[in-house]
Amino acid sequence: MQFRVLGPVQFSVGDKVLDVGPPQRCLVFAALVTDAGRLVLQETLIDRVWRQPPPQGARRTVQTHIANIRGLLRKAGATGHTPPALVRRRGGYVLDIDPDLVDVHRFRRLAAQAANADVATVERLALWREAVGLWRGAPLAALAGDWAARTRDAWHAEHRDAVLGWAYAEIEAGNPTVVISPLADLIDQYPLVETLPAMLMRALYAVGRRTDALDCYTAAQRRLDDELAEEPGAELTAVYQAILRRDADVPPPLGTAPAGVAVPAQLPPDVRGFAGRTDQLAQLDALAATVGGGATAVVISAIAGTAGAGKTALAVHWAHRNAKRFPDGQLYVDLRGFDPGGAAVDPTDAVRGFLDAVAMPPERIPTERSAQTALYRTVLADKRMLVVLDNARDSEQVRPLLPGAPGCLVLITSRNPLTSLVTATGAHPLPLDLLTPQEARELLTRRLGARRVATESDAVDALVTGCARLPLALAIVAARAATHPHFSLAALAAELHDARTRLDALADTDPTTDVRAVFSWSYVTLTPPAARLFRLLGLHPGPDIPATAAASLTGLPPSRLRPLLAELTHAHLIAEHRPGRYAFHDLLRAYATDLAQVHDSDPERRAALTRVLDHYTHTAHNADRLLRPHRDSGSIPLTPPSSGTYPQQFADHQQAMAWFSVERPVLLAVLRHAADAGLDASTCQLAWALDTFLDRQGHWSDLTAVWQAALHAARRLRDPSAQAFTHRFLAGGLSRLGRHADGHTHLQHALELYRQVGDRYGQAQIHQNLGSLWDRQGDYRKAVDHAQQSLDLYRAVGHRRGHADALNAVGWCHAQLGDHRQALLHCEQALDLLQQLGDRAGEAATWDSIGFAHHQLGNHTQAIECYRRALVLSRELGARYDEADILHQLGNIGDATGDLAAAEAAWREALAILDDLNHPDTDQLRAKLHRSPGQPARRAATT
């Protein structure tokens, strides 16, 4: 049995190749095979198959592909082999096979063995030949998508390194002829990888083609000069000189990194024109001298300073100068600690990246994140490595990435001083201030050339002063001067001075202010409408903004806004990071915000924020009405949107769900902004509009946070009705999280408030919610009592939909108490009323109740039909927990009737959804899947 990905994706048993299926299924199959024996999260599968955001129904599509792949694997059993297991685990899947059955893992094992210095020459050659022979062309051939492309590129690099190892083994064994053609082909693919022409020169020289070997060097030298303006490196030069001298022995490869034993070299390119920082470089040199000497712990340096001070440039420049001190390699990660969208790198993701960088075989990497960190520290325990952790947010982000034993040096850059790291680990703080005037001048000289600087010496001094000696600002000045050689430096200095004068709020000694002045060179080229848009974008609370919301922010129609967004994108003042969605980094955001403070009045800024808040609130209400069209309005009436606001409309339920899915982070940020700004009515209105989506999609932690903010806002409004409904919905979120006691407390508060204002409809809702809470806790006597009180109140106030919901609740409670005939009487009345009202959500819940009653009465055919009706409606509504619950019940019926295959299929589908929701019911359901057939199955209480 073989799994092949080093070429077209294939699964074979003996001589028979089984058809995996269409390309998308092949991609899912390859994603599982690549991590054979390890958990692959469902989110990871979706990311590997689709670009972000994934389409609606991506999860269900993946589940369908998984089912088909399981069928394919079962075919292997029909041939007499034991079929591989594709196991569902919490949040994902494991292809439970020996990784050596997968060609890429076998290739890595063979390459690692071949690279072992203790392996005999004859055995090494055999291992290399077998490893290289596993390649059948481009890996993951014909599969599209970002993940396939990235993986293909990475594997090609491993193949290249393996070919180098094989080629040297063949040359040593006296077979240089066979490697000449493959090496020449690789040089065409990687013209700037110097180890390839060096190895080809060895082979050519070994077969007596000395002139061709020297010509190979000349061609490589020309390519490096043309493309990189660099001279050949040490290895290529050493081989060339040996051949030139006609030496009998050509130097062996220097640092060839065959697959499986790679020495990581992850440093970004060194900074061109680096200048100054002599004292700081000397301090780092002194620290490096202690590594591996008398130090008893890992040596750490924390480089801290303001944005633009050149922290990364210093770390990377020093790392390149001292790379040879660390023969086991250099690891680097940008932790994005100050990303404006809050997308800081999770340290566990960085650990996994480091394990990949040291070529740790995937089958050896544990699934638990803490175990991955332990493995990372184990790998580095006897290594002499340099680890660069760039742009760290805080000490907590850094700690999991620190090696645990001496021998390594860690460089950390951050805008924060990382004081707790200095205290707890003995890290050496290295504060980074402005450049000295001499260093700043040296930086410009190296970027612009000594002649140009000497010609306009006074202007250079003015530029240094105008840039406040901040490296980032000086680099921007130098780039502008270099790209416009006809501009005089005096003109550039005057332009900088004019910007600082015109933007009085930016005339500050803080270096960030001066960077913003440099940004003005791009800003002043904008048309007035684009400049206004740029300023207002700094006021937007969310991590990014769609074009539709930007229209409301400015008060301009969307058709007029699109050209302005294109203008800003062209000027590199914003980035369209996804189609129709825009963002900019934190310095530009701060610059835009300060410009708005200077150029836009308080009323203009307030109006812009009001429009954007109205945009999201009204759009969310429009979307929510499609998700739950029969829902009552909130306690605080929604006022018309401000003039110049352009709320979105949606054609159907699917569009509304898609909008909520994409905008959820922005909506949460907007609600937090409204709450912090004291916009209490808007906070409550937006919370109301978010409730249905967050509940149905299982975002219950977000749901609880939203209603907590709304409750504080309602209290400030001193509106008892608003306070009551926020207590009520907060209780719902808490109950979803299993915090039933807290839910009861909030519902009692709500009930008392509704009694104080004489709102019997509100009291009916609270009694219905209390019934639901007691039902979840298994106290059906109390549940039916509250449900009946709710029904009586709804009847009294003449609320038909509430009446219908309460009928269903009473019926459900009777079913739980064993009175199934009474349950059907109430629930069928509820169903008739809900169908008259066209309330699909209520209808789905009621079909579920009727199905349960029929199941308990032994009417299994009728129960299945009812559950299937509820299932269709729940899927249409996007009610994921309800969908899982209904599948759970269908599995119970299959179990009760002896249809164990149907029971297992339904339970597994339900479990997949609950796993995605991280719901506590997963343990109960997983236990059912592992118990003996025919044991009784009890339902988790729901309403």
Side-chain angles (χ1 to χ4, degrees):
M1 193 177 305
Q2 298 292 329
F3 298 81
R4 300 188 181 98
V5 288
L6 298 179
V9 174
Q10 291 180 349
F11 172 44
S12 65
V13 181
D15 295 331
K16 185 177 181 181
V17 177
L18 303 180
D19 181 22
V20 177
Q24 193 177 83
R25 190 175 306 148
C26 285
L27 198 54
V28 175
F29 184 76
L32 293 166
V33 167
T34 299
D35 282 343
R38 295 179 58 252
L39 176 68
V40 183
L41 296 176
Q42 189 169 36
E43 293 296 336
T44 301
L45 283 175
I46 291 172
D47 289 342
R48 291 178 177 181
V49 175
W50 290 280
R51 292 181 178 180
Q52 293 298 318
Q56 285 289 312
R59 292 178 184 275
R60 193 165 296 131
T61 301
V62 166
Q63 291 165 1
T64 300
H65 287 314
I66 292 292
N68 282 292
I69 290 170
R70 284 197 176 110
L72 174 70
L73 298 176
R74 283 195 293 270
K75 287 184 180 179
T79 65
H81 295 75
T82 301
L86 180 52
V87 183
R88 173 74 190 190
R89 296 276 169 81
R90 187 174 183 85
Y93 302 91
V94 177
L95 181 58
D96 193 7
I97 60 170
D98 180 356
D100 212 49
L101 296 176
V102 182
D103 56 1
V104 69
H105 297 310
R106 190 160 66 257
F107 160 76
R108 286 169 170 162
R109 176 182 60 79
L110 292 167
Q113 291 174 337
N116 189 334
D118 296 331
V119 174
T121 302
V122 175
E123 184 183 354
R124 177 182 294 111
L125 180 56
L127 289 166
W128 278 128
R129 285 175 174 173
E130 185 180 354
V132 173
L134 289 171
W135 287 72
R136 299 172 294 112
L140 305 177
L143 296 188
D146 291 344
W147 174 79
R150 290 194 307 270
T151 304
R152 191 178 296 119
D153 289 344
W155 290 356
H156 271 308
E158 293 185 47
H159 175 253
R160 177 195 69 212
D161 293 336
V163 169
L164 284 167
W166 162 73
Y168 191 64
E170 294 282 11
I171 294 170
E172 283 189 307
N175 306 313
T177 304
V178 299
V179 307
I180 291 174
S181 179
L183 287 171
D185 291 342
L186 281 177
I187 289 172
D188 290 339
Q189 297 176 45
Y190 304 98
L192 301 178
V193 176
E194 297 182 45
T195 48
L196 292 170
M199 193 65 70
L200 179 56
M201 289 167 66
R202 291 185 184 95
L204 291 169
Y205 187 55
V207 299
R209 295 168 58 181
R210 177 174 177 271
T211 301
D212 290 339
L214 296 174
D215 289 343
C216 181
Y217 173 82
T218 303
Q221 183 184 43
R222 184 181 303 112
R223 289 193 300 270
L224 290 168
D225 183 57
D226 290 345
E227 297 294 331
L228 303 177
E230 292 181 359
E231 290 297 317
E235 179 180 342
L236 188 55
T237 301
V239 173
Y240 168 69
Q241 291 173 345
I243 294 172
L244 200 62
R245 294 190 302 263
R246 300 180 185 272
D247 290 353
D249 296 321
V250 177
L254 300 176
T256 300
V261 291
V263 174
Q266 294 188 317
L267 295 176
D270 199 358
V271 180
R272 176 180 171 268
F274 184 90
R277 305 303 190 193
T278 305
D279 290 344
Q280 290 82 3
L281 291 170
Q283 290 181 55
L284 291 173
D285 287 340
L287 279 179
T290 67
V291 175
T296 58
V298 63
V299 179
I300 306 168
S301 177
I303 305 172
T306 189
K311 302 179 293 294
T312 299
L314 172 64
V316 170
H317 179 70
W318 184 89
H320 276 284
R321 288 202 332 179
N322 291 271
K324 291 183 179 179
R325 291 178 184 251
F326 305 94
D328 293 311
Q330 313 95 43
L331 297 173
Y332 173 91
V333 64
D334 180 1
L335 294 171
R336 300 201 304 270
F338 297 88
D339 188 288
V345 172
D346 189 311
T348 54
D349 293 335
V351 166
R352 177 56 201 265
F354 284 169
L355 290 173
D356 290 339
V358 297
M360 178 60 61
E363 62 271 17
R364 290 186 55 195
I365 300 176
T367 57
E368 288 294 326
R369 294 188 166 190
S370 59
Q372 290 183 7
T373 300
L375 176 61
Y376 160 70
R377 287 176 173 154
T378 300
V379 170
L380 268 62
D382 59 349
K383 296 288 192 296
R384 193 176 176 91
M385 297 187 77
L386 173 64
V387 182
V388 181
L389 308 177
D390 194 17
N391 196 19
R393 179 185 62 244
D394 52 33
S395 299
E396 295 305 313
Q397 189 186 21
V398 164
R399 283 196 177 93
L401 304 175
L402 300 178
C408 296
L409 174 64
V410 182
L411 293 185
I412 308 167
T413 73
S414 179
R415 296 183 194 177
N416 288 329
L418 305 182
T419 305
S420 65
L421 197 68
V422 174
T423 302
T425 69
H428 299 265
L430 186 61
L432 208 59
D433 203 348
L434 302 175
L435 295 171
T436 66
Q438 183 179 353
E439 289 172 333
R441 190 179 180 92
E442 181 186 353
L443 186 152
L444 290 175
T445 301
R446 293 190 177 186
R447 297 290 182 95
L448 302 177
R451 178 180 299 177
R452 191 173 183 187
V453 169
T455 302
E456 298 188 70
S457 180
D458 291 341
V460 171
D461 291 338
L463 286 173
V464 169
T465 301
C467 290
R469 295 177 282 118
L470 187 69
L472 176 60
L474 289 162
I476 295 172
V477 169
R480 183 166 172 80
T483 54
H484 298 283
H486 57 286
F487 285 7
S488 70
L489 298 185
L492 293 175
E495 186 175 7
L496 178 61
H497 178 76
D498 289 343
R500 289 170 56 84
T501 302
R502 182 167 49 84
L503 303 174
D504 292 337
L506 300 179
D508 190 272
T509 57
D510 186 297
T512 304
T513 306
D514 295 290
V515 170
R516 293 167 182 163
V518 177
F519 287 155
S520 69
W521 288 331
S522 296
Y523 173 77
V524 296
T525 67
L526 301 174
T527 61
R532 175 175 175 267
L533 169 60
F534 176 71
R535 297 194 303 270
L536 294 182
L537 286 173
L539 305 178
H540 183 259
D544 64 355
I545 187 169
T548 49
S552 293
L553 180 70
T554 59
L556 296 173
S559 59
R560 288 184 57 192
L561 189 76
R562 292 188 189 97
L564 304 181
L565 290 167
E567 185 178 347
L568 293 181
T569 303
H570 181 74
H572 299 289
L573 288 171
I574 60 171
E576 189 176 10
H577 68 103
R578 284 164 52 188
R581 300 193 73 83
Y582 299 85
F584 42 21
H585 64 71
D586 49 355
L587 284 178
L588 281 170
R589 179 188 291 275
Y591 174 58
T593 303
D594 279 356
L595 286 176
Q597 297 292 330
V598 173
H599 296 284
D600 302 297
S601 66
D602 286 344
E604 289 172 325
R605 295 196 303 273
R606 283 197 300 271
L609 284 170
T610 299
R611 286 192 300 269
V612 81
L613 180 56
D614 284 353
H615 170 89
Y616 285 114
T617 303
H618 281 267
T619 303
H621 275 260
N622 293 341
D624 181 66
R625 276 194 289 271
L626 288 167
L627 268 54
R628 203 166 179 177
H630 297 280
R631 188 184 187 201
D632 294 321
S633 61
S635 176
I636 300 177
L638 187 64
T639 57
S642 307
S643 176
T645 304
Y646 300 93
Q648 292 174 251
Q649 301 291 337
F650 305 98
D652 52 31
H653 179 279
Q654 185 176 7
Q655 280 190 10
M657 285 292 288
W659 181 82
F660 270 124
S661 297
V662 171
E663 296 293 349
R664 179 169 67 96
V666 176
L667 289 165
L668 295 174
V670 169
L671 185 139
R672 286 192 297 269
H673 171 81
D676 292 343
L679 302 173
D680 298 325
S682 295
T683 301
C684 296
Q685 291 162 352
L686 190 51
W688 171 264
L690 282 166
D691 181 80
T692 302
F693 169 78
L694 293 176
D695 183 44
R696 288 183 181 173
Q697 290 292 293
H699 300 299
W700 296 314
S701 294
D702 288 341
L703 182 71
T704 302
V706 159
W707 282 112
Q708 283 172 334
L711 176 58
H712 292 312
R715 285 170 173 163
R716 288 191 296 266
L717 288 170
R718 300 184 182 277
D719 182 335
S721 295
Q723 291 177 49
F725 94 83
T726 52
H727 274 298
R728 176 192 169 210
F729 282 97
L730 177 55
L734 292 168
S735 175
R736 288 293 203 184
L737 294 174
R739 295 170 57 182
H740 300 308
D742 292 335
H744 275 290
T745 298
H746 283 283
L747 287 176
Q748 291 298 335
H749 283 311
L751 185 61
E752 180 59 29
L753 287 165
Y754 278 133
R755 284 172 176 162
Q756 289 176 12
V757 298
D759 185 342
R760 290 193 294 169
Y761 169 61
Q763 294 172 51
Q765 291 177 307
I766 300 304
H767 280 295
Q768 187 172 352
N769 295 146
L770 285 167
S772 178
L773 265 183
W774 286 117
D775 170 53
R776 287 194 178 99
Q777 295 173 273
D779 191 333
Y780 304 116
R781 293 292 178 190
K782 289 181 180 177
V784 75
D785 177 62
H786 283 288
Q788 186 62 54
Q789 289 185 66
S790 172
L791 178 60
D792 295 341
L793 286 165
Y794 279 131
R795 280 174 174 161
V797 298
H799 194 284
R800 296 180 70 208
R801 192 185 62 80
H803 181 185
D805 285 343
L807 281 169
N808 177 47
V810 171
W812 168 257
C813 292
H814 280 302
Q816 299 303 308
L817 291 167
D819 190 349
H820 304 300
R821 299 293 178 189
Q822 192 65 232
L824 288 174
L825 178 65
H826 282 84
C827 291
E828 285 170 354
Q829 292 179 41
L831 182 65
D832 181 61
L833 185 52
L834 288 163
Q835 288 175 333
Q836 292 177 35
L837 295 169
D839 185 343
R840 295 192 302 158
E843 186 181 344
T846 306
W847 278 120
D848 177 83
S849 300
I850 295 172
F852 180 78
H854 278 302
H855 180 199
Q856 301 307 308
L857 288 168
N859 303 329
H860 295 130
T861 301
Q862 290 170 277
I864 291 171
E865 177 61 26
C866 293
Y867 278 135
R868 285 178 176 167
R869 288 175 179 265
L871 186 63
V872 169
L873 288 166
S874 295
R875 283 174 171 167
E876 290 175 354
L877 294 167
R880 302 192 68 226
Y881 175 75
D882 293 341
E883 179 185 352
D885 187 62
I886 295 162
L887 287 165
H888 188 167
Q889 303 320 309
L890 285 168
N892 289 347
I893 294 175
D895 185 58
T897 58
D899 191 349
L900 301 184
E904 181 178 354
W907 284 342
R908 288 196 182 280
E909 193 174 352
L911 183 60
I913 297 171
L914 293 177
D915 269 337
D916 289 337
L917 297 177
N918 292 317
H919 197 278
D921 285 358
T922 54
D923 293 336
Q924 175 196 3
L925 194 51
R926 193 171 279 109
K928 283 187 177 184
L929 284 165
H930 291 93
R931 66 176 170 76
S932 300
Q935 288 182 343
R938 183 181 179 278
R939 175 184 189 162
T942 61
T943 58

